[in-house]
Amino acid sequence: MLIEDQLIELGFEVVGPAATASQAIALCEDEHLDGAVLDINLGGGQRSDPVAEWLTRQGIPFVFVTGYGQAGVDGRFGHAAVLQKPFTLPELRKVTWEHFG
């Protein structure tokens, strides 16, 4: 919820949040997206990798947020920016504007 509030404060229209990868993909299919912010760990042992795969196939940029840093990112997604938790609003602004502009 905090990330959602921060993105709205930065002027983004937020779609979601989604609690599971399948929910996120369904939202992605139903909406026009300029970019996405994905938490790597969705809870319950589930990761957002399937969402990242879908976004990559569609050519939609995304940013991972994680407490694990770059080490938590699957190698297939080395092109994606990673924002280490906890992060500040200026850090979120910088990474989202650089990648979604």
Side-chain angles (χ1 to χ4, degrees):
M1 295 296 241
L2 176 62
I3 296 172
E4 179 182 4
D5 291 342
Q6 290 175 324
L7 289 168
I8 290 169
E9 185 175 336
L10 293 173
F12 290 103
E13 182 177 333
V14 175
V15 175
T20 67
S22 59
Q23 287 176 350
I25 291 169
L27 285 172
C28 291
E29 291 173 338
D30 290 342
E31 301 288 337
H32 169 77
L33 302 178
D34 295 319
V37 176
L38 304 176
D39 195 325
I40 290 178
N41 183 1
L42 299 177
Q46 190 174 80
R47 292 174 49 99
S48 62
D49 293 350
V51 185
E53 290 171 358
W54 189 91
L55 293 166
T56 299
R57 284 193 305 274
Q58 302 305 314
I60 299 171
F62 57 92
V63 172
F64 283 120
V65 294
T66 179
Y68 303 106
Q70 189 69 41
V73 177
D74 184 299
R76 296 173 293 161
F77 309 117
H79 63 281
V82 178
L83 190 57
Q84 174 81 34
K85 290 186 204 175
F87 54 84
T88 65
L89 185 61
E91 290 170 326
L92 180 62
R93 176 185 298 116
K94 182 178 186 297
V95 75
T96 54
W97 282 107
E98 284 177 359
H99 294 277
F100 311 152

